[in-house]
């Protein structure tokens, strides 16, 4: 039985001057070392959720809404302890680059935690090694591509060794190649360091690899489950204004022609294998 | 815009580059005081030799330094000519109305010329061989005593380094906005003064909004990475005082001593 690392109860948040709450009565939990994708159409409250989790925003009625991170309840006294546990990689790689060059930027989070210089040098080097950017130590941000900047941002997060990484649409500004390489990088790191990953994304294809998917629609939680459970429920996905991943789209189309694909076929490799078998059986 | 050499950094790896920015900044300021110690031919020769030694030690092309002096050459010549015509004293060589060319006038105008050129050369040596970041770090160290007057040096230093980091980003942003406006028919290089000033508005407003967006994003990113205002932070970058800085210091001491001995009393 895995420990629950994130527990959210009755979370409601309303932006100033907004008529409707951006998030309404959200409750969910995430187990340690899980990869959870949060999906929803534009304006469904995904990013608001990530900012609430590390205390950048505060819930409406703190008495009723409760966020617990690794046993600690999010409140003013625990705020900084909780921020130490959560690292967020944001959408725009340009605007989260604080340092004047790569190693400065990676060290920024460490400087804030008042970590000694010898330890910082060690951690910065190993973090840059982990993201494959050790040759760019002295490069300035304008010399790097978007994907490289995003790698540096990830290095800055893993240098502080958080338990939870939140990807707030981190790959949305990258090309397909940059996107796959960043995602496989984070998957590697997650397995090596036992981290929990919360990935907020528009890219349905990305969610296929996650353990759990959380679907938001207009600030409300619509569903939570494994990718298989979520994408089998086609009407719910369509109601939430989302698309289906390619495999499930294909399943749907094939169903029209009377070919029933079993539920266990949940990714492209399995689909290819199944179709080949089907072909040889005919 | 790229023609202006003042304040620009050119990468290199000669001995001047290896010096500590603190030493270089203090040296460059001190040099301005030193130059006023000079008051005869001998001392001016010393100053000139010392400056040229510094210029050669950078191992940069002499042409680059000439580009540094060039934008100010009219100011220098104008001041020298004024000195030449309006200083009286000593032997008078030429006289016409209010204009006089005297012995003192010639001497003074040459002194002024040397002073100007040497100060510009020396500050160009500083800016050409020191990155803006190093300068801001050096300045931070120099300003540290102001902490006792409750000046928030740590925050000012952070502001400076963020400002420096965003200069290229905002430059790129400006070019992008200008191109986008051009694609919609804006014309930035035509018309009179007022028309041109008006043409800047479609650049300035988006640029202003973009910088605010960047500032908000950056603030959020900084805070979520654990930045707390006024909290004690450790430092990743450190300045190290090396043997080259002792050489630098030794040269300045030597020059000061020579000037004090050789100047006319």
């Amino acid at each position: 039985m895995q420990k629950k690392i994130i527990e959210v109860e009755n979370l409601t948040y309303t932006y100033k001057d907004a008529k409707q709450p951006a998030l309404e009565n959200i409750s969910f939990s995430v187990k340690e070392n899980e990869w959870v994708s949060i999906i929803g159409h534009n304006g469904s409250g995904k990013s608001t959720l990530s900012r609430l989790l590390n205390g950048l925003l505060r819930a409406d009625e703190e008495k009723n809404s409760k966020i617990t991170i690794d046993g600690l309840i999010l409140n003013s006294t625990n705020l900084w302890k909780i921020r130490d546990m959560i690292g967020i990689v944001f959408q725009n790689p340009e605007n989260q680059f604080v340092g004047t060059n790569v190693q400065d930027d990676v060290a920024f989070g460490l400087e804030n935690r008042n970590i000694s210089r010898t330890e910082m040098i060690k951690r910065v080097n190993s973090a840059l090694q982990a993201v494959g950017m050790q040759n760019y130590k002295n490069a300035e941000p304008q010399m790097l591509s978007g994907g490289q900047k995003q790698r540096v941002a990830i290095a800055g997060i893993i240098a502080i060794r958080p338990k939870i990484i939140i990807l707030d649409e981190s790959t949305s500004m990258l090309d397909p190649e940059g996107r796959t390489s960043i995602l496989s990088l984070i998957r590697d790191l997650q397995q090596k360091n036992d981290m929990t990953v919360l990935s907020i994304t528009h890219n349905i294809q990305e969610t296929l690899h996650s353990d759990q998917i959380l679907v938001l629609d207009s600030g409300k939680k619509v569903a939570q489950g494994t990718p298989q459970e979520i994408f089998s429920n086609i009407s719910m996905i369509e109601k939430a204004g989302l698309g289906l991943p390619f495999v499930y789209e294909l399943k749907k189309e094939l169903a029209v022609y009377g070919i029933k694909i079993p539920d266990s076929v949940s990714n492209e490799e399995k689909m290819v294998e199944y179709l080949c078998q089907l072909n040889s059986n005919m | 815009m790229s023609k202006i050499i003042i304040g620009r950094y050119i990468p290199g790896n000669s001995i001047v580059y290896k010096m500590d920015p603190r030493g270089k900044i203090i040296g460059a300021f001190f040099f301005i005081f030193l130059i006023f110690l000079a008051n005869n031919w001998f001392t001016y020769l010393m100053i000139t030799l010392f400056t040229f030694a510094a210029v050669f030690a950078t191992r940069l092309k002499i042409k680059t330094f000439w580009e540094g002096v060039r934008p100010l050459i009219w100011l220098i010549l104008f001041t020298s000519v004024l000195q030449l015509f309006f200083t009286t004293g000593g032997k008078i060589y030429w006289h016409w109305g209010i204009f006089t060319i005297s012995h003192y006038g010639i001497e003074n105008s040459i002194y002024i010329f040397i002073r100007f050129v040497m100060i510009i050369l020396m500050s160009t040596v500083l800016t050409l061989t020191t990155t803006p970041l190093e300068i801001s770090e050096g300045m931070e160290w120099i300003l540290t005593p102001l902490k006792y007057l409750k000046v928030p040096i740590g925050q000012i230093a952070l502001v400076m380094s963020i400002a420096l980091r965003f200069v290229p980003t905002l430059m790129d942003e400006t070019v992008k906005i200008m191109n986008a406006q051009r694609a919609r028919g804006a014309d930035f290089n035509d018309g009179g003064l007022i028309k041109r000033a008006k043409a800047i508005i479609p650049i300035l407003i988006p640029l202003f909004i973009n910088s605010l967006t960047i500032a908000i994003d950056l603030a959020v990113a900084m805070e979520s990475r654990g930045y707390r205002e006024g909290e004690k932070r450790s430092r990743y970058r450190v300045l190290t005082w090396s043997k080259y800085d002792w050489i630098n210091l030794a040269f300045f001491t030597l020059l000061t001593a020579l000037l004090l001995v050789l100047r006319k009393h």
Side-chain angles (χ1 to χ4, degrees):
Chain A
M1 182 62 195
Q2 280 165 303
K3 208 173 88 190
K4 281 177 185 168
I5 191 154
I6 303 176
E7 276 180 275
V8 174
E9 286 170 39
N10 300 324
L11 185 64
T12 304
Y13 179 79
T14 319
Y15 280 102
K16 256 187 206 155
D17 306 324
K19 282 185 204 111
Q20 278 176 335
L23 285 176
E24 215 178 330
N25 261 328
I26 305 267
S27 299
F28 68 97
S29 65
V30 176
K31 291 198 200 85
E32 213 162 19
N33 210 3
E34 260 188 339
W35 182 297
V36 177
S37 295
I38 300 172
I39 55 174
H41 59 78
N42 281 339
S44 57
K46 308 185 296 291
S47 295
T48 311
L49 182 60
S50 79
R51 281 161 173 68
L52 280 158
L53 285 179
N54 85 337
L56 285 169
L57 300 175
R58 304 300 289 271
D60 279 356
E61 288 166 45
E62 301 216 306
K63 277 166 259 147
N64 303 332
S65 305
K66 197 165 104 182
I67 299 175
T68 316
I69 309 281
D70 200 24
L72 285 174
I73 294 170
L74 179 65
N75 56 24
S76 315
T77 33
N78 287 335
L79 178 66
W80 294 98
K81 272 190 202 151
I82 282 172
R83 270 190 200 164
D84 279 355
M85 283 192 273
I86 303 178
I88 306 186
V89 183
F90 291 96
Q91 181 176 21
N92 191 338
E94 181 75 49
N95 301 356
Q96 55 182 310
F97 207 108
V98 186
T100 8
N101 64 28
V102 169
Q103 42 178 339
D104 276 349
D105 189 65
V106 176
F108 180 75
L110 300 171
E111 287 179 326
N112 292 336
R113 286 162 179 77
N114 207 6
I115 286 163
S116 75
R117 186 154 187 274
T118 37
E119 174 71 13
M120 272 202 269
I121 292 169
K122 232 169 44 200
R123 286 216 208 168
V124 167
N125 284 333
S126 72
L128 285 174
Q129 195 108 39
V131 298
M133 289 288 290
Q134 63 270 43
N135 297 333
Y136 294 89
K137 262 173 96 167
N138 292 312
E140 286 159 24
Q142 71 268 26
M143 289 150 72
L144 301 175
S145 72
Q148 288 173 324
K149 271 180 227 168
Q150 208 60 295
R151 276 166 185 271
V152 175
I154 294 166
I157 300 300
I158 55 181
I160 57 173
R161 303 190 177 148
K163 290 187 174 164
I164 302 161
I165 286 193
I166 299 179
L167 305 173
D168 191 351
E169 296 185 38
S170 310
T171 55
S172 65
M173 285 190 161
L174 304 179
D175 60 7
E177 206 177 309
R179 180 177 299 169
T180 33
S181 81
I182 294 270
L183 284 174
S184 63
L185 173 77
I186 293 180
R187 214 158 271 139
D188 268 9
L189 290 170
Q190 184 207 10
Q191 258 131 45
K192 261 186 230 151
N193 306 331
D194 284 340
M195 287 187 296
T196 310
V197 178
L198 235 63
S199 165
I200 293 169
T201 180
H202 272 295
N203 190 327
I204 290 293
Q205 208 63 33
E206 270 178 36
T207 60
L208 276 184
H209 298 280
S210 44
D211 300 310
Q212 290 273 317
I213 296 178
L214 189 70
V215 186
L216 295 181
D217 184 15
S218 315
K220 294 188 189 80
K221 177 177 145 186
V222 186
Q224 182 178 13
T226 61
Q228 260 188 57
E229 289 164 9
I230 296 289
F231 294 121
S232 308
N233 192 348
I234 294 171
S235 63
M236 181 272 292
I237 286 290
E238 276 170 358
K239 235 187 96 208
L242 298 165
L244 285 169
F246 177 69
V247 175
Y248 290 89
E249 195 71 51
L250 187 61
K251 266 191 199 179
K252 198 176 108 189
E253 292 296 317
L254 287 173
V256 177
Y257 295 98
I259 303 168
K260 182 93 178 64
I261 312 268
D263 280 349
S264 61
V265 178
S266 58
N267 60 33
E268 275 167 47
E269 290 88 67
K270 281 184 188 160
M271 182 60 118
V272 170
E273 208 176 297
Y274 184 80
L275 289 178
C276 288
Q277 270 176 14
L278 203 65
N279 191 28
S280 62
N281 287 347
M282 275 196 224
Chain B
M1 223 197 278
S2 57
K3 275 279 174 209
I4 296 172
I5 206 86
I6 300 171
R8 227 176 73 189
Y9 168 77
I10 295 178
N13 58 0
S14 61
I15 161 169
V16 186
Y17 283 92
K18 295 186 185 114
M19 286 178 189
D20 193 299
R22 292 169 292 185
K24 282 194 271 188
I25 295 168
I26 295 173
F29 277 108
F30 185 54
F31 185 78
I32 297 171
F33 291 104
L34 271 186
I35 222 162
F36 290 102
L37 277 183
N39 60 1
N40 60 18
W41 290 107
F42 226 51
T43 45
Y44 272 104
L45 183 69
M46 282 293 134
I47 290 270
T48 316
L49 284 179
F50 181 82
T51 314
F52 278 120
V55 166
F56 283 116
T58 63
R59 303 253 178 123
L60 289 169
K61 283 192 202 115
I62 302 297
K63 213 181 129 217
T64 346
F65 287 94
W66 164 238
E67 279 167 16
V69 177
R70 200 168 49 189
L72 294 167
I73 201 75
W74 292 113
L75 179 70
I76 299 170
L77 287 178
F78 179 69
T79 325
S80 303
V81 167
L82 278 187
Q83 285 286 334
L84 180 65
F85 284 126
F86 293 106
T87 316
T88 49
K91 208 168 149 198
I92 287 168
Y93 297 108
W94 184 76
H95 186 85
W96 184 78
I98 50 166
F99 300 110
T100 352
I101 293 183
S102 64
H103 182 74
Y104 272 21
I106 295 172
E107 218 175 51
N108 263 347
S109 69
I110 293 172
Y111 285 168
I112 290 274
F113 184 80
I114 295 175
R115 253 185 221 172
F116 259 117
V117 175
M118 294 309 135
I119 288 177
I120 294 165
L121 282 182
M122 214 36 152
S123 45
T124 316
V125 166
L126 171 71
T127 53
L128 284 182
T129 62
T130 322
T131 59
L133 182 70
E134 282 178 323
I135 293 184
S136 89
E137 282 183 343
M139 289 302 284
E140 186 199 345
W141 184 85
I142 293 166
L143 295 177
T144 312
L146 291 180
K147 254 189 202 156
Y148 299 105
L149 297 173
K150 300 245 188 299
V151 181
I153 295 296
Q155 266 122 298
I156 292 175
L158 190 71
V159 168
M160 280 206 279
S161 79
I162 288 174
L164 288 172
R165 175 248 169 280
F166 275 95
V167 168
T169 309
L170 289 178
M171 291 277 232
D172 286 353
E173 202 77 15
T174 316
V175 172
K176 254 190 249 167
I177 294 170
M178 280 175 83
N179 286 340
Q181 304 288 22
R182 276 204 192 102
R184 290 163 177 75
D187 188 2
F188 300 116
N189 303 319
D190 235 13
L193 204 61
I194 294 170
K195 201 180 162 221
R196 278 197 201 194
K198 272 186 182 159
I200 292 180
I201 294 172
I203 307 172
L204 272 190
I205 291 177
L207 189 63
F208 200 69
I209 292 169
N210 284 1
S211 358
L212 286 179
T213 319
I214 292 176
I216 292 168
D217 279 3
L218 189 71
V220 167
M222 280 169 67
E223 204 179 333
S224 67
R225 285 171 74 180
Y227 180 74
R228 298 169 78 169
E229 201 192 311
E231 204 74 3
K232 192 165 169 37
R233 306 176 70 229
S234 53
R235 294 199 55 138
Y236 183 72
R237 297 183 145 267
V238 286
L239 299 167
T240 42
W241 194 260
S242 66
K243 65 168 193 261
Y244 302 108
D245 299 297
W246 289 115
I247 297 174
N248 185 17
L249 193 70
F251 266 105
F252 267 104
T253 324
L254 185 69
L255 180 70
T256 320
L258 276 174
L259 288 181
L260 287 174
V261 172
L262 293 172
R263 76 190 296 252
K264 201 162 58 188
H265 290 287

